[in-house]
Amino acid sequence: MPDRRPNLIYIMSDDHAAHAISAYGSRINRTPHLDRIAEGGMRLDACFCTNSICTPSRAAVLTGTYNHVNGVTTLFTPMDNTLDTFPKRLQAAGYQTALFGKWHLGHGPEWDPTGFDTWRVLPGQGHYHNPMMIEPRRDGRGLRFVERGGYATDLITQDSIRWMERRDPERPFALLCHHKAPHRPWEPSPDHFTLYDDVDIPEPDTMWDDHRGRAEVVTAMQMRLMDLDPVTDLKATVPPGLSEEDEIRWRYQRYIKDYLRTIASIDDGVGRMLDWLDANGLSEDTIVVYTSDQGFFLGDHGWFDKRMMYEESLAMPFLVRYPAMIEAGTSSEAMALNVDFAPTFLELAGVEVPETVQGTSLVPVLGGDVPDGWQTSMYYRYWMHRDPNHLVPAHYGVRTHHHKLIGYYNDPLDQPGAFGPVDPPEWELFDLDRDRSELHNVIGDPAYREVAFDLRAELARLQAMVGDEPHPAADAALADLLVAG
Ligand SMILES: [Ca+2]
């Protein structure tokens, strides 16, 4: 009897914001092949990461646990490769497993990928052009470096398809295809060098946000378009004689065009993989997911990069197609988190979810049903206080479908990659129903006092539930604010 459990193709890119996918209504690009996944399946509209940065989000996806539990809090905390992960569980249950592309969870015997029959990854961030890759030696003794000729996105796609071609067709497979793109420094493939040459990309509505009323530590961050490096990021010399406003406009165009060009290669690659599934009669029995490790600011609020709990950075795209179960062309507003992916994939494969998993299986949501008591709030925490390149403050918070409370506790807490000084805690509150762009911090507005009280309690409830702790000084500062209000 052939094993009819579903195959899984999990495609995760790096820093691809949902608002640069046409299935999510992008105003700045078209992604016809990513849209094919949405057209044949479901789009999640409230999918969030629990820590908006590469290494921690990847650990949350693989383990189904929060970063204070899996220990991967910053870019400098590699993931212990003896932790329980969904690929390991699938492999143990008889799945063929493979990983190609970006790993970024550490290298060395304690951190290299585990749970995969085959893997070939970029070291660290890796390079876009002619990248070096690492894979296990065939004799099992250590690793070998492979010099690759070509473009990273195309090579990762090619490796993925070649592995599927060579798999055992009698057993199901789980393939993790982790694109490096569209991560900084946004180097396109020659195929797309001239894409967008003749057009101006629309600017986001909040590009000229002056950050008035926001936490002081937020106004001091180095993620403005003026903070982009002309040489490595913009690959050009700033034209002389521009006013600051014109220079910002020029910088936006240089930045966003390269970002979108690298996405065009991902879209092509996903198209090739979907074509391959069609040609091999596997589309019906294969779960195809497209997501990104977190969102990104695309000039929104005048910024690039991620890390923040604001919507553009917090939201993850999540498109999933599985014709045997998911109705085509649907979407869901149910809240979904990166820690929910692992239990979802395990349940879809009929594999027991380990007790250590903190996330919730999304299977009912994918089936078109939102069960009573489904999560309506989420907990977020970014630990890497004042990393020297971006100066983003350490913060945590809670988001519901209507509001968001963010506490900048502003303390490195001895986390690797986090730096002082400790700044006084600050708080922000946003009314997402009225102010989806998060331009108006209403923490000091007496009309929101009750909302703030409720959110403080909800934050404490979530922290207790996931086993994290409030920052005493930040919590005291919030209590003072609410009494004063
Ligand atoms: Ca990332």
Side-chain angles (χ1 to χ4, degrees):
M1 273 283 286
D3 188 334
R4 294 302 303 269
R5 290 178 294 175
N7 305 306
L8 169 68
I9 299 183
Y10 176 79
I11 309 169
M12 179 166 69
S13 57
D14 193 354
D15 297 0
H16 188 176
H19 52 311
I21 294 177
S22 36
Y24 278 95
S26 169
R27 297 163 57 228
I28 56 175
N29 67 334
R30 310 300 304 162
T31 49
H33 298 296
L34 301 185
D35 296 359
R36 279 165 69 187
I37 302 174
E39 284 154 15
M42 181 177 274
R43 185 191 71 214
L44 297 187
D45 287 342
C47 184
F48 305 113
C49 60
T50 50
N51 183 355
S52 181
I53 193 159
C54 304
T55 308
S57 183
R58 284 151 198 271
V61 165
L62 290 169
T63 61
T65 60
Y66 288 79
N67 296 135
H68 61 278
V69 171
N70 58 45
V72 187
T73 47
T74 72
L75 292 180
F76 298 95
T77 49
M79 185 177 80
D80 172 353
N81 65 10
T82 63
L83 290 179
D84 209 342
T85 63
F86 81 82
K88 273 186 198 173
R89 290 276 168 157
L90 292 178
Q91 186 184 43
Y95 270 69
Q96 302 165 80
T97 59
L99 162 72
F100 298 106
K102 179 168 162 174
W103 174 243
H104 205 196
L105 286 160
H107 298 292
E110 296 164 63
W111 302 298
D112 283 324
T114 49
F116 302 100
D117 304 344
T118 305
W119 57 268
R120 179 185 278 170
V121 299
L122 296 158
Q125 294 286 359
H127 290 103
Y128 275 104
H129 294 281
N130 300 328
M132 190 76 89
M133 292 192 184
I134 311 170
E135 65 182 11
R137 281 165 54 111
R138 292 216 176 86
D139 61 10
R141 293 182 180 179
L143 306 177
R144 61 187 283 259
F145 282 84
V146 195
E147 281 184 52
R148 308 292 300 280
Y151 186 62
T153 304
D154 298 336
L155 294 167
I156 294 163
T157 301
Q158 203 180 87
D159 286 349
S160 297
I161 293 176
R162 195 164 295 164
W163 180 79
M164 290 193 288
E165 279 170 347
R166 294 176 183 172
R167 83 200 188 285
D168 171 4
E170 299 301 315
R171 289 191 297 138
F173 66 87
L175 165 65
L176 277 63
C177 171
H178 288 191
H179 286 299
K180 166 191 173 48
H183 194 282
R184 195 180 188 179
W186 316 295
E187 292 172 13
S189 149
D191 296 347
H192 301 296
F193 274 163
T194 58
L195 183 65
Y196 307 118
D197 262 4
D198 304 328
V199 294
D200 279 337
I201 308 290
E203 292 170 2
D205 292 339
T206 61
M207 193 158 108
W208 304 102
D209 178 7
D210 61 8
H211 308 144
R212 197 174 301 163
R214 246 63 59 78
E216 266 182 53
V217 286
V218 168
T219 63
M221 296 190 308
Q222 292 179 0
M223 305 202 308
R224 296 168 194 252
L225 294 167
M226 288 299 273
D227 294 316
L228 287 166
D229 185 305
V231 176
T232 55
D233 293 326
L234 305 176
K235 304 117 189 158
T237 305
V238 181
L242 294 182
S243 67
E244 181 168 323
E245 189 178 314
D246 284 344
E247 181 175 338
I248 289 171
R249 290 185 194 282
W250 176 84
R251 281 170 173 265
Y252 170 73
Q253 294 297 328
R254 289 292 304 185
Y255 153 57
I256 203 69
K257 285 182 180 180
D258 273 348
Y259 178 85
L260 297 177
R261 286 168 184 142
T262 68
I263 289 170
S265 289
I266 294 176
D267 193 60
D268 291 347
V270 169
R272 282 198 285 278
M273 288 171 73
L274 296 178
D275 290 346
W276 187 88
L277 288 177
D278 286 345
N280 288 272
L282 290 170
S283 295
E284 224 21 60
D285 296 326
T286 302
I287 303 155
V288 180
V289 170
Y290 183 81
T291 186
S292 168
D293 56 355
Q294 63 330 271
F296 215 68
F297 295 106
L298 307 180
D300 310 284
H301 303 283
W303 293 321
F304 66 97
D305 216 74
K306 57 247 184 183
R307 300 161 190 269
M308 297 296 288
M309 199 188 165
Y310 295 144
E311 292 294 277
E312 297 84 354
S313 152
L314 180 70
M316 304 170 84
F318 193 97
L319 307 174
V320 53
R321 187 182 80 177
Y322 180 28
M325 185 192 128
I326 302 174
E327 197 181 330
T330 52
S331 63
S332 176
E333 292 281 346
M335 202 173 274
L337 306 177
N338 57 359
V339 292
D340 300 334
F341 299 178
T344 305
F345 301 149
L346 292 175
E347 187 180 346
L348 287 169
V351 175
E352 195 188 342
V353 177
E355 296 223 333
T356 51
V357 164
Q358 295 181 290
T360 309
S361 166
L362 301 169
V363 166
V365 171
L366 303 185
D369 178 37
V370 183
D372 288 342
W374 187 257
Q375 56 199 358
T376 54
S377 64
M378 57 90 53
Y379 178 58
Y380 180 88
R381 184 161 187 175
Y382 174 80
W383 297 75
M384 214 168 140
H385 189 55
R386 290 181 64 87
D387 87 286
N389 292 324
H390 306 83
L391 298 184
V392 171
H395 58 288
Y396 57 57
V398 54
R399 186 201 190 282
T400 68
H401 285 292
H402 307 286
H403 298 97
K404 187 184 291 178
L405 178 71
I406 310 176
Y408 300 96
Y409 61 86
N410 298 334
D411 185 340
L413 295 172
D414 294 326
Q415 291 291 315
F419 293 87
V422 177
D423 298 306
E426 295 181 86
W427 287 83
E428 289 180 338
L429 171 62
F430 298 98
D431 181 338
L432 300 177
D433 292 331
R434 291 184 174 184
D435 177 29
R436 187 62 183 226
S437 300
E438 299 167 306
L439 295 171
H440 306 288
N441 174 19
V442 295
I443 190 69
D445 183 339
Y448 285 93
R449 193 151 174 260
E450 210 164 306
V451 170
F453 264 111
D454 290 349
L455 287 171
R456 182 186 179 214
E458 183 60 10
L459 178 60
R461 186 189 74 82
L462 289 173
Q463 283 180 322
M465 187 179 81
V466 304
D468 201 6
E469 286 171 2
H471 187 281
D475 192 49
L478 180 59
D480 286 349
L481 263 173
L482 296 182
V483 170

